[in-house]
Amino acid sequence: AQSVTQPDIHITVSEGASLELRCNYSYGATPYLFWYVQSPGQGLQLLLKYFSGDTLVQGIKGFEAEFKRSQSSFNLRKPSVHWSDAAEYFCAVMDYGNKLVFGAGTILRVKS
Amino acid sequence: DGGITQSPKYLFRKEGQNVTLSCEQNLNHDAMYWYRQDPGQGLRLIYYSQIVNDFQKGDIAEGYSVSREKKESFPLTVTSAQKNPTAFYLCASSDSTGENNSPLHFGNGTRLTVT
């Protein structure tokens, strides 16, 4: 079975600063990778996905992620964080049977 | 608007009672899923269904049951056998017959509190 590790439980950044959230996955033949965002008490919204092709993937809300097979990583980045980006972020990998396996999540706090 | 509706948003039950959480989708998706979310543990898969009248256990199915009698509905019953039922429950769906490995679309969740 596939697995996902998000090493950072909490991250705090200043508004306007750059952001990188880390994600490592267990090895799979062709990993299908996703980033989701969750506001408190809400469901998850898809930010971006990687299936194949260009290793730098653009998503919504100005986010991007880079797939690095050699490091088994799929880190999420944003050049300039806005206060509205404060939320919990989940990295996920597709398992057999079209099931998603999620990391434990990273809570992002934005300070003004 | 197409989407996934979970109801109710908050649910309170006494220990020992079964409770059913509703999930309805009008996205015409074949596959539906139930996840449980606990702080610091991410989302864990309870049950999933790839097609009507068929479903499979996920990683933490004990104490739960589901049915899939209609394409648009996938209710989850939390039974009295579930040892720690208080959690946030998320329902999701995907178009598994369309694009390969299409992403999951989530409802807004039901927070269940059992005392």
Side-chain angles (χ1 to χ4, degrees), chain A residues 36-108:
Chain A
Y36 284 85
V37 61
Q38 183 183 35
S39 297
Q42 299 295 314
L44 276 66
Q45 180 184 20
L46 179 68
L47 285 176
L48 47 79
K49 62 187 179 185
Y50 171 78
F51 286 169
S52 64
D54 194 345
T55 56
L56 186 61
V57 180
Q58 301 298 321
I60 62 171
K61 305 185 179 188
F63 285 93
E64 66 178 26
E66 186 171 11
F67 170 62
K68 293 185 177 180
R69 183 183 295 275
S70 61
Q71 298 176 19
S72 297
S73 70
F74 188 56
N75 295 348
L76 182 71
R77 302 194 294 244
K78 187 169 184 178
S80 177
V81 169
H82 188 261
W83 64 266
S84 60
D85 292 325
E88 189 162 14
Y89 291 80
F90 292 94
C91 182
V93 64
M94 187 68 75
D95 201 353
Y96 302 108
N98 212 51
K99 300 173 290 179
L100 279 184
V101 175
F102 288 87
T106 298
I107 296 172
L108 173 64

Side-chain angles (χ1 to χ4, degrees), chain A residues 9 32 34 36 38 41-46 49 51 88 90 94-105, chain B residues 9 33 35 37 40-43 45 48 50 88 90 94 96 99-109 111:
Chain A
I9 298 173
Y32 299 124
F34 306 81
Y36 284 85
Q38 183 183 35
Q42 299 295 314
L44 276 66
Q45 180 184 20
L46 179 68
K49 62 187 179 185
F51 286 169
E88 189 162 14
F90 292 94
M94 187 68 75
D95 201 353
Y96 302 108
N98 212 51
K99 300 173 290 179
L100 279 184
V101 175
F102 288 87
Chain B
K9 188 167 178 64
Y33 310 79
Y35 284 88
Q37 184 176 16
Q41 296 193 52
L43 280 72
L45 183 64
Y48 64 105
Q50 302 280 35
F88 190 52
L90 285 160
S94 72
S96 63
E99 177 184 354
N100 285 338
N101 301 305
S102 56
L104 272 59
H105 299 260
F106 283 85
N108 282 330
R111 183 164 299 281

